[in-house]
Amino acid sequence: LTRLYGPLTALSNVRVDVMSALVSFDRVFEVLDLRPGIEEKPGAAAIPHGAGRLEFRDVHFRYPSADEVSLATLEDVSALDRTENAPVLRGVDFTVEPGQMVALVGPSGAGKSTTSMLVSRVYDATEGSVLVGGVDVRDATLDSLRDTIGVVTQDSHLFHETIAENLRYARPGATDEQMWEALRGAQVADLVRSLPDGLDTVVGERGYRFSGGEKQRIAIARLLLKQPSIVILDEATAHLDSESEAAVQRALAAALTGRTALVIAHRLSTVREADLILVLDDGRIVERGRHPDLVAAGGLYAELYRTQFADSTPLTPDVEPVILP
Ligand code: ATP
């Protein structure tokens, strides 16, 4: 990891264009689970090993404007357009108890991805706090935060290195047997075994090119190797064929068992199973509860249920048909 963090940290200190640097870091943090370049506070506290509680306390957030990000590099600050970005989260407050699965749903732009990014400190809350195992993420040691949280997004990134090297980002020093076990759990062992160089196969643009679903399963194998107690998952599966999607679902079921999960949910099966569904709209939680209750309430969730979930059928199972005379 030092090999990777060294150059990235150096790069993050070049503040020429921090916003565009963030864009490329976005992809890297998917592998490392935290954004490289964030700094640890002096006297930071370790999150207790295996901590599973995740809390948002009255969290407000607006994205930093380009001006704010590059302010430090400019001499003439007065010339700046100081327009602020609009608030994106406005008082988000919830708790995920250890082992629970909480689903975040809401219309496009509601703030679901932003919420998930505050846990892994891609950004920090503007007001309020995010706590993992009772420790504010801004006061936590980076090692303990990195160990506790695992992130799986729609676009999992693989480095142009061997499969084994890609997996060892999750657990440096993992043995071949441990890697095979994780690959089996992630439903991708047969594929890797069929490649001529097995674990030593080089992947990426100039190497073996995994499909979207295969890359996602490699990301899940990383998660299984790392064993984080809290998983942040963006579940979008729209670009996968149905066979690949079924394999990803099986792999995810293995990865989430016994862990706390915050899932940006796109599947009906996920919201039905969730211990709690949070419905976000324009940066606020407008409804919360379990699936049948929220459907019965007939609000925004009921509407999303009809229109948004990838595997949803028309609204019938929970509602008796009304037969007009
Ligand atoms: P989707 O389902 O479409 O992914 P979402 O609920 O995940 O949407 P977010 O991606 O969290 O929503 O976006 C919330 C709001 O923040 C949107 O209005 C979006 O335009 C804005 N936003 C997202 N990223 C940035 C950024 N880097 N700078 C400024 N505004 C941003």
Side-chain angles (χ1 to χ4, degrees), residues 156-159 161-164 166-167 183 188-195 198-199 201-205 207-219 222 239-240 244:
S156 299
H157 183 73
L158 295 177
F159 290 107
E161 294 176 347
T162 67
I163 294 172
N166 271 284
L167 290 175
L183 291 167
V188 71
D190 289 347
L191 171 74
V192 174
R193 197 170 287 112
S194 73
L195 302 174
L199 284 172
T201 306
V202 174
V203 296
E205 306 239 317
Y208 181 81
R209 296 187 72 151
F210 285 114
S211 73
E214 291 161 357
K215 273 200 284 189
Q216 233 171 352
R217 281 179 277 155
I218 297 281
R222 278 187 189 131
H239 59 289
L240 304 181
S244 199

Side-chain angles (χ1 to χ4, degrees), residues 38-262:
I38 47 176
E39 285 180 12
E40 185 171 298
K41 266 194 184 169
I47 296 168
H49 182 73
R53 177 177 285 110
L54 171 64
E55 282 172 86
F56 273 58
R57 290 193 189 154
D58 195 22
V59 169
H60 293 248
F61 180 75
R62 67 179 173 80
Y63 281 92
S65 62
D67 300 342
E68 286 169 293
V69 188
S70 54
L71 212 58
T73 62
L74 289 176
E75 282 174 17
D76 182 11
V77 179
S78 60
L80 287 174
D81 169 9
R82 306 295 287 274
T83 321
E84 289 189 344
N85 280 324
V88 168
L89 300 181
R90 302 185 290 162
V92 172
D93 207 274
F94 65 88
T95 301
V96 190
E97 298 294 345
Q100 277 193 335
M101 193 257 278
V102 166
L104 271 181
V105 304
S108 180
K112 305 181 293 293
S113 307
T114 306
T115 301
S116 73
M117 288 195 282
L118 298 187
V119 183
S120 51
R121 293 198 66 192
V122 179
Y123 296 100
D124 285 330
T126 317
E127 275 176 57
S129 42
V130 175
L131 294 96
V132 170
V135 179
D136 188 316
V137 290
R138 290 166 297 199
D139 300 333
T141 62
L142 298 182
D143 276 350
S144 70
L145 187 60
R146 198 178 292 118
D147 287 348
T148 310
I149 289 167
V151 180
V152 177
T153 62
Q154 319 176 28
D155 264 319
S156 299
H157 183 73
L158 295 177
F159 290 107
H160 181 59
E161 294 176 347
T162 67
I163 294 172
E165 284 167 324
N166 271 284
L167 290 175
R168 285 204 182 98
Y169 287 114
R171 197 200 293 187
T175 64
D176 282 12
E177 190 38 54
Q178 288 167 333
M179 288 191 267
W180 282 115
E181 192 186 327
L183 291 167
R184 276 195 296 276
Q187 312 280 319
V188 71
D190 289 347
L191 171 74
V192 174
R193 197 170 287 112
S194 73
L195 302 174
D197 294 324
L199 284 172
D200 296 323
T201 306
V202 174
V203 296
E205 306 239 317
R206 282 164 289 134
Y208 181 81
R209 296 187 72 151
F210 285 114
S211 73
E214 291 161 357
K215 273 200 284 189
Q216 233 171 352
R217 281 179 277 155
I218 297 281
I220 295 167
R222 278 187 189 131
L223 200 75
L224 291 172
L225 271 175
K226 183 171 146 171
Q227 306 275 1
S229 46
I230 300 180
V231 177
I232 312 294
L233 165 68
D234 186 341
E235 170 174 75
T237 50
H239 59 289
L240 304 181
D241 61 64
S242 56
E243 192 181 320
S244 199
E245 186 173 320
V248 169
Q249 288 309 311
R250 284 197 300 276
L252 280 174
L256 296 190
T257 304
R259 303 204 159 88
T260 304
L262 182 65

Side-chain angles (χ1 to χ4, degrees), residues 250-323:
R250 284 197 300 276
L252 280 174
L256 296 190
T257 304
R259 303 204 159 88
T260 304
L262 182 65
V263 182
I264 300 177
H266 293 274
R267 301 180 57 83
L268 184 59
S269 47
T270 305
V271 289
R272 275 187 192 280
E273 282 167 28
D275 297 297
L276 177 67
I277 299 167
L278 303 172
V279 186
L280 265 184
D281 189 22
D282 201 13
R284 294 182 214 272
I285 298 176
V286 294
E287 294 178 312
R288 64 177 83 202
R290 299 204 58 174
H291 175 75
D293 302 327
L294 291 177
V295 171
L300 178 58
Y301 181 81
E303 188 187 323
L304 293 169
Y305 172 50
R306 282 196 299 272
T307 56
Q308 206 186 58
F309 295 113
D311 51 350
S312 69
T313 44
L315 184 63
T316 47
D318 300 307
V319 178
E320 286 296 316
V322 179
I323 309 209

